[in-house]
Amino acid sequence: MLLVLELDVADLAGTRFAISPLSETLRAVQLLGNPSPPSLNQPWVRWARTQLSRRPLRLPRLWPLVVTDLPYLPEFLLPAPAGQAPGFDQELARLCATPGEPVRASLRRVFGEGPWPESATDLFERPRESLGELAAELADCHDRLIAPHWERIRPVLDADIAYHAGLLAGGGARALFSDLHPGLRWSAGQLFLSDAETGSDEITLGPDGMVLMPSVFIWPEWSVKRATSTQTTLLYPARGAATVWETGLDLPVGAAPRRAGGPAAQRADRALPGLRARARAPGGGRGRLVTVEGAGS
């Protein structure tokens, strides 16, 4: 499949880079549901599966939305980051602030005529409350699976942005887009995207350009939002991603630094404890322990 995006002067003027710990968290969860994860991230997958075999995560709302046979995720799960490097809690707050109608429109695009998972139906019927419950599950995923490794992931993402910013300064959009991924190239004001995810070949650009986001967990693929209520995001594999797991992953079970942040993060943290309690509460028939078969394979 070949997708073509036309970016005018205003789109290029608004195009920027960003780092997203929320995006890395979502892609990491998808990797756990992949029976044949790409080789580069297999050391992390083995580590994560071992952790979850000892102390599972309960993700009754998130897992059915992101581990599917569908070609893309509901786009409201990844709002465009505000700024170059927002904190994880800032991204959660932005997710929770998504209005109800964009949530419903996204679910219709992704799940169509069905079948719909129960968590998607809940989101459609009560988006505000369900987004808060999703945020609680995402916070658990981030703390357990991403935060212990963020100090080794973040420098690779920073270095990638510095490298590509240099390409943009020296060779313009053509040099930048031609180096992000072998499946992307720029010509005469158009961005050509080949070997794309299967599914819709239509992309509706969001306002104010694109947000280019390097990722360790998306390797070796790339992903662009088909529609969005924020800016269009384009995820691509970070240069040097293979170096992230070169050293051992001998971390104790549950090891994770405390998340810190400014006022936005503190507001999110005040809201999350009760939501976490509801997400983890036993009973109700909807919970499911996320343990991955074949751990350590």
Side-chain angles (χ1 to χ4, degrees), residues 57-279:
L57 276 168
R58 186 177 292 277
L59 306 176
R61 295 158 185 84
L62 178 64
W63 189 267
L65 297 177
V66 301
V67 182
T68 70
D69 293 328
L70 301 173
Y72 38 84
L73 305 177
E75 60 267 11
F76 62 83
L77 291 175
L78 183 57
Q84 180 176 328
F88 179 75
D89 289 312
Q90 291 175 292
E91 291 198 277
L92 278 190
R94 192 167 170 86
L95 167 65
C96 290
T98 307
E101 189 48 43
V103 171
R104 295 186 181 99
S106 174
L107 292 170
R108 291 189 197 101
R109 280 191 292 269
V110 172
F111 294 105
E113 298 300 320
W116 284 41
E118 186 175 350
S119 60
T121 303
D122 285 347
L123 275 163
F124 194 91
E125 294 175 349
R126 51 185 197 100
R128 182 177 180 181
E129 297 85 353
S130 292
L131 285 174
E133 293 161 356
L134 269 175
E137 294 184 4
L138 280 164
D140 285 343
C141 290
H142 175 266
D143 290 348
R144 291 279 308 279
L145 304 175
I146 301 300
H149 308 294
W150 191 243
E151 290 185 359
R152 67 171 81 197
I153 294 172
R154 175 65 188 268
V156 170
L157 303 182
D158 284 334
D160 177 277
I161 289 178
Y163 169 81
H164 284 108
L167 287 183
L168 179 63
R174 182 183 298 106
L176 169 63
F177 286 113
S178 296
D179 192 80
L180 292 178
H181 189 276
L184 309 179
R185 64 183 176 88
W186 173 264
S187 178
Q190 294 179 317
L191 179 60
F192 295 86
L193 307 94
S194 59
D195 295 328
E197 299 161 323
T198 58
S200 171
D201 58 356
E202 296 181 357
I203 298 178
T204 302
L205 282 176
D208 201 21
M210 302 179 68
V211 183
L212 308 177
M213 296 163 46
S215 170
V216 169
F217 290 98
I218 201 172
W219 188 93
E221 307 296 336
W222 57 266
S223 178
V224 66
K225 280 187 182 178
R226 298 306 202 261
T228 180
S229 58
T230 60
Q231 286 176 285
T232 297
T233 57
L234 172 61
L235 274 70
Y236 64 92
R239 286 173 57 88
T243 66
V244 174
W245 313 123
E246 282 182 343
T247 57
L249 299 181
D250 298 327
L251 293 171
V253 175
R258 293 178 59 86
R259 288 181 287 118
Q266 294 165 10
R267 288 196 299 272
D269 279 340
R270 284 197 295 271
L272 285 175
L275 296 172
R276 285 197 180 106
R278 290 197 295 274

